[in-house]
Amino acid sequence: MTSSIALKPWQRLSPPEQTAVLAISVTSEQVTFAGTIEQSVGICKADEFNRIAGLAIFDALAVSVEIPPPVSSW
């Protein structure tokens, strides 16, 4: 089994990868803490100097994202 990690700007993701990221669903608690996927993608897309990064882990086109719970529930 071969694994690799790549950090890519939003604009360099393929259309299927972008679609997979936009399809991520988060709970209302996560939205309160971290915002919506659309907000996060918008911030990454607007970063013309590549100072902001989001993280999505792809296994083929299945996306796994780990979003921590809100601090109030720790």
Side-chain angles (χ1 to χ4, degrees):
M1 180 169 127
T2 303
S3 298
S4 66
I5 296 174
L7 183 60
K8 298 186 209 176
W10 173 259
Q11 295 81 355
R12 288 194 42 221
L13 294 178
S14 69
E17 289 172 327
Q18 290 180 356
T19 299
V21 170
L22 290 171
I24 296 169
S25 70
V26 295
T27 66
S28 60
E29 292 87 0
Q30 291 168 319
V31 169
T32 300
F33 176 69
T36 66
I37 296 299
E38 292 80 8
Q39 289 169 321
S40 297
V41 167
I43 290 168
C44 290
K45 287 169 71 173
D47 176 32
E48 60 189 78
F49 300 107
N50 293 320
R51 292 182 290 195
I52 300 172
L55 175 66
I57 301 169
F58 289 89
D59 180 11
L61 284 180
V63 181
S64 174
V65 175
E66 184 65 33
I67 300 175
V71 173
S72 63
S73 67
W74 288 358

